[in-house]
Amino acid sequence: MIRSLLSYAPVLPSASKRLVVGWVLCGLFGWASNLSAQFVDATLESGIFHEQMVAIEEEQIIHFQSGGAAAGDFDGDGWVDLFVTRVGAPDILYRNLGRSGPQGVVTFQDITSRAGVGGSYHSNGAAWADIDNDGDLDLYVTTLYHNRFYLYLNNGDGTFSEEGTARGADLASGIEHHGFSVSFGDYDRDGYLDFHVSEWEVPQTGPDAAQHNALMRNLGAPAPGYFSNQTLAAGVGLNGLERPSTPGVRNDFAFTSRFNDMDNDGWPDLLVAADYRTSQLFWNRGDGTFVDEGAATGVGLDGNGMGADVGDFDGDGLLDWFVTSISDNRLYRNLGERRFEDVSLSVGPGPGVSGAGWGWGTAFLDGDNDGDLDLVMTNGHQDLDNPSRILESIDQTTYWRNDDGVYQRFSDAMGFTDRDPGKGLLVFDYDNDGDLDVFIANCQTKPILYRNDTVTDNRWLRVNLVGRKSNSHGIGARLELQAEPDGPVQLREVSASSHFLAQSEVTSHFGLGDFTGNAHQLTVRWPSGVVQTLSNLPVDREIRILEPVTYQEWETRLSPRTLPYLGGRDADFDSDGFSNFMEYLFATDPRDAGDLPELEWIDPRLDWVDGAYRISYQRPLGAADRRFVCELSSDLDVWKEFVGTPQTVQAIDSPDGRYQWVEANLPAAQGTSWFLRVRAVETVIDSE
């Protein structure tokens, strides 16, 4: 007879082998709902109630350009939280409580005081990022009329510690800050996130000039989460402009910067949307420096660049750049070879995406899950307390639907009827139902949370990355999804950049249209240079993909700065009953006894079928960091792998989509008692 055992003891790599690829865990976060509308205002229902600005004396024009927000799951519970900035009042951190009550309503709770992130300054831009690669999101906040910015480090227990000065990230200056957007990206690809901050109307003269519109490099492995100002050394100083009101002085007028790889060379470029025709695109040379190739690139035509987003709107595999402005938005279609074409007027009927009001925050999104990128923009410039104080523009939020590469306005039909003075805008799936919702931070008044209730049978797939050599959330990775063989390829680049004062979630969202079956193929191009291809993916789910690394690379990342002592593969640092090797295989945290590998689904079964034994077991979906092998023994002492076992991978079987069945035929026992085990083995390839 053959008895079935399950073993997780590691097999040490031989000298001739090394690691090949990574693995995936999938989770279903969808909510069975009967959608009945398009986008609906769910602000009050969700528990969001604040006013963005409290009336203050001596208001200046920058006050009416304020209003930021950032979406990120800071506590790792699977529900995206929301941080909002305010002028004249403390910021607010809204924790997403998930669904509750008989109607399953998703609500937020103000936990600002408990978390320790409510500063007493005029705040403006904000962004989440894991600056020290410890797995949780830290928070950066820019300010107005203040001498510094703020960096809040996540303590991992629901609280934060402000460490901007200690980590060289506060950009302290004798010249007051007019801080706007902040964006994170790994521009030197060392596995640690750097950042860039944008400021409006700050002089280029003086000893502190480089503290404004600054590029800050993460020191990386020697000191994770500590920063050095590389603005001048990297060559990303802005052109600026001399205005009649400041003769002899050039000022920078940047509103929004982004890190995106615009020429497909693997290195994040720096895009800056700026006022008065001063927008710029800096190409990454791959040596820590950038170059601006000027007008030949074909960008910088926007009269008043304010907000921006990047996406492949026409499906040609090249990222395009949309910049909002005052009635002359620009959509720069990427032609390749570092050249762009302005298609703002020709991309749709009438004014195309150009004349739509006084534009600010914007985002590409697939709002109807049909497989192409729509576009949304918030508008307006008002002083609600004193209308005569500034030049007013009262404009409706604009939604353009993408119909085979043609943009048409569907604002009213999609439910975007507001005319409040919107500023920051972001997209996220706050209710985990598989479609993208929109949050708008309105200046001087309450925000709007638009819940997506679009009625559609279209499918979807959401992807989160876990970097183990790259930065922890895979910022800068490029995802190419082909839903059906020979079908179109959708491109997403994982971003922690700004849209104008606001940052969307880092999850990559794909609408798939109405096709049936599993998604054919997903290719992940990691910032580390590793290319990973996964096939036969379940849809209508949110999945988690792990970057392929060797055990040694994983152990190096968990350095003495974050983990005093791993103790080797067989050690159990957190005393949870699983060795470090097991923690590595299943991407759990060896510092957290509550973070355990999910082994219960593997559950081997043994059957006698057609004169042979058939072993069937479940393996983690896409578990390519290691292989699972069948081994035989007659004495439980000496084990031998059964080589050449034909294996058939079948459909996803576990309720949450994390595992799939594997079947393998084994030889008959021939009168001897054998023992069988399924064992996880690290797979390696030749190092030369």
Side-chain angles (χ1 to χ4, degrees):
M1 59 184 295
I2 297 181
R3 297 178 182 177
S4 176
L5 299 177
L6 181 61
S7 171
Y8 301 101
V11 172
L12 298 180
S14 67
S16 63
K17 295 188 174 183
R18 270 222 143 131
L19 179 69
V20 182
V21 278
W23 64 298
V24 174
L25 288 177
C26 301
L28 175 61
F29 295 100
W31 176 262
S33 59
N34 187 8
L35 303 179
S36 59
Q38 305 292 326
F39 286 83
V40 300
D41 185 345
T43 315
L44 294 179
E45 172 189 285
S46 68
I48 295 175
F49 52 82
H50 69 278
E51 297 273 347
Q52 181 269 337
M53 186 186 298
V54 174
I56 58 177
E57 297 180 0
E58 300 181 1
E59 291 175 335
Q60 301 183 42
I61 189 172
I62 297 181
H63 286 113
F64 310 109
Q65 300 170 167
S66 66
D73 182 8
F74 82 90
D75 54 3
D77 65 352
W79 296 88
V80 182
D81 311 298
L82 189 64
F83 178 83
V84 297
T85 63
R86 303 169 81 194
V87 170
D91 302 331
I92 299 177
L93 175 57
Y94 287 109
R95 180 172 181 260
N96 192 328
L97 300 180
R99 297 188 181 277
S100 62
Q103 303 300 318
V105 176
V106 176
T107 58
F108 293 86
Q109 179 185 22
D110 180 351
I111 62 165
T112 310
S113 297
R114 186 171 75 222
V117 292
S120 57
Y121 42 75
H122 302 320
S123 60
N124 205 19
W128 297 101
D130 182 6
I131 64 165
D132 50 3
N133 277 337
D134 66 349
D136 52 32
L137 292 176
D138 311 300
L139 179 66
Y140 196 84
V141 181
T142 69
T143 62
L144 300 174
Y145 314 119
H146 193 40
N147 70 337
R148 58 159 298 188
F149 298 149
Y150 291 84
L151 172 62
Y152 294 95
L153 203 69
N154 194 329
N155 297 322
D157 59 0
T159 68
F160 294 79
S161 299
E162 204 289 307
E163 296 194 12
T165 301
R167 291 177 174 265
D170 63 354
L171 289 167
S173 173
I175 305 172
E176 71 177 18
H177 282 290
H178 296 170
F180 275 82
S181 304
V182 55
S183 293
F184 284 88
D186 184 7
Y187 80 87
D188 55 1
R189 289 174 48 184
D190 67 348
Y192 295 86
L193 290 177
D194 318 296
F195 70 91
H196 185 271
V197 289
S198 303
E199 295 197 49
W200 188 83
E201 198 174 20
V202 291
Q204 294 183 344
T205 57
D208 292 337
Q211 297 294 92
H212 305 260
N213 287 297
L215 175 65
M216 304 296 291
R217 179 180 177 269
N218 195 320
L219 298 183
Y226 290 79
F227 294 88
S228 170
N229 192 324
Q230 296 295 305
T231 310
L232 300 179
V236 294
L238 302 182
N239 291 335
L241 180 73
E242 180 181 332
R243 292 207 300 177
S245 59
T246 57
V249 177
R250 294 187 72 85
N251 290 274
D252 291 337
F253 291 96
F255 277 126
T256 305
S257 57
R258 296 187 58 85
F259 290 101
N260 292 102
D261 179 8
M262 305 303 291
D263 55 0
N264 289 2
D265 67 350
W267 293 91
D269 307 303
L270 179 63
L271 301 80
V272 181
D275 215 346
Y276 307 117
R277 296 191 183 277
T278 61
S279 296
Q280 291 179 254
L281 198 167
F282 296 93
W283 299 102
N284 193 331
R285 288 171 160 162
D287 60 359
T289 67
F290 295 77
V291 60
D292 179 0
E293 296 182 353
T297 301
V299 299
L301 305 176
D302 37 285
N304 303 93
M306 297 175 180
D309 199 12
V310 166
D312 180 15
F313 86 92
D314 52 2
D316 64 354
L318 298 169
L319 293 175
D320 311 297
W321 186 18
F322 180 68
V323 179
T324 66
S325 184
I326 303 175
S327 297
D328 75 327
N329 307 320
R330 302 286 174 157
L331 176 57
Y332 300 110
R333 180 173 179 265
N334 195 335
L335 304 177
E337 303 297 327
R338 295 188 174 182
R339 296 296 180 264
F340 293 82
E341 175 189 10
D342 178 12
V343 297
S344 309
L345 298 174
S346 61
V347 76
V353 296
S354 180
W358 197 310
W360 297 99
T362 185
F364 286 107
L365 75 162
D366 188 352
D368 48 9
N369 284 340
D370 67 348
D372 51 28
L373 292 176
D374 307 315
L375 186 60
V376 62
M377 178 181 76
T378 187
N379 305 286
H381 194 236
Q382 296 173 257
D383 179 354
L384 298 179
D385 297 325
N386 185 356
S388 64
R389 190 186 320 232
I390 59 175
L391 177 65
E392 287 208 326
S393 180
I394 302 174
D395 308 300
Q396 183 177 351
T397 293
T398 306
Y399 190 98
W400 291 277
R401 194 178 74 188
N402 188 337
D403 294 323
D404 296 324
V406 176
Y407 278 118
Q408 302 189 62
R409 293 193 194 183
F410 276 83
S411 305
D412 289 326
M414 296 300 290
F416 290 93
T417 58
D418 68 286
R419 293 181 177 269
D420 292 326
K423 295 300 177 286
L425 178 148
L426 61 84
V427 297
F428 65 147
D429 184 7
Y430 86 95
D431 51 359
N432 281 345
D433 66 349
D435 53 35
L436 290 174
D437 313 296
V438 176
F439 180 83
I440 300 175
N442 290 313
C443 186
Q444 283 190 299
T445 186
K446 298 182 185 300
I448 298 179
L449 174 60
Y450 280 113
R451 187 182 67 233
N452 190 342
D453 285 352
T454 303
V455 178
T456 177
D457 292 327
N458 292 335
R459 316 297 293 279
W460 52 271
L461 178 66
R462 290 169 53 77
V463 182
N464 291 300
L465 300 185
V466 180
R468 299 198 284 178
K469 185 176 182 181
S470 305
N471 63 84
S472 67
H473 288 80
I475 305 302
R478 295 166 74 90
L479 283 69
E480 300 162 4
L481 178 67
Q482 189 176 40
E484 299 180 273
D486 301 322
V489 176
Q490 293 190 55
L491 171 66
R492 299 287 186 272
E493 186 172 273
V494 183
S495 175
S497 290
S498 179
H499 303 296
F500 175 77
L501 299 180
Q503 177 196 54
S504 295
E505 64 179 6
V506 299
T507 303
S508 295
H509 181 99
F510 294 91
L512 303 177
D514 59 358
F515 92 107
T516 59
N518 289 350
H520 169 58
Q521 182 171 282
L522 175 68
T523 298
V524 183
R525 303 183 187 278
W526 292 88
S528 65
V530 172
V531 178
Q532 182 178 14
T533 300
L534 303 159
S535 302
N536 195 35
L537 295 168
V539 299
D540 295 341
R541 287 181 171 88
E542 184 165 309
I543 68 174
R544 189 167 65 117
I545 301 178
L546 276 65
E547 181 179 19
V549 294
T550 63
Y551 179 90
Q552 288 76 15
E553 288 171 321
W554 174 83
E555 189 175 35
T556 298
R557 173 57 61 87
L558 293 170
S559 65
R561 284 173 294 277
T562 57
L563 186 60
Y565 179 61
L566 280 175
R569 295 172 181 247
D570 297 326
D572 179 13
F573 182 81
D574 54 357
S575 301
D576 62 356
F578 294 95
S579 70
N580 288 334
F581 184 78
M582 282 305 300
E583 303 275 15
Y584 153 71
L585 290 180
F586 284 82
T588 51
D589 189 347
R591 299 160 295 190
D592 182 0
D595 191 10
L596 303 176
E598 298 183 44
L599 307 179
E600 64 271 17
W601 281 108
I602 295 181
D603 186 25
R605 301 180 185 178
L606 189 65
D607 300 291
W608 178 262
V609 180
D610 297 330
Y613 287 103
R614 175 171 296 172
I615 175 70
S616 56
Y617 58 92
Q618 295 189 80
R619 60 172 292 172
L621 180 64
D625 269 309
R626 71 266 183 227
R627 61 193 177 99
F628 283 75
V629 299
C630 297
E631 295 182 320
L632 300 174
S633 173
S634 60
D635 56 8
L636 295 178
D637 184 27
V638 178
W639 291 89
K640 183 178 180 180
E641 179 182 346
F642 184 73
V643 181
T645 304
Q647 295 192 0
T648 303
V649 179
Q650 296 190 345
I652 306 301
D653 188 77
S654 60
D656 60 2
R658 292 176 184 264
Y659 296 89
Q660 61 186 171
W661 275 108
V662 176
E663 291 187 348
N665 293 320
L666 300 169
Q670 297 182 351
T672 304
S673 293
W674 293 87
F675 298 92
L676 166 69
R677 67 182 181 184
V678 177
R679 175 154 133 160
V681 182
E682 184 181 16
T683 306
V684 288
I685 60 174
D686 196 32
S687 60
E688 298 182 355

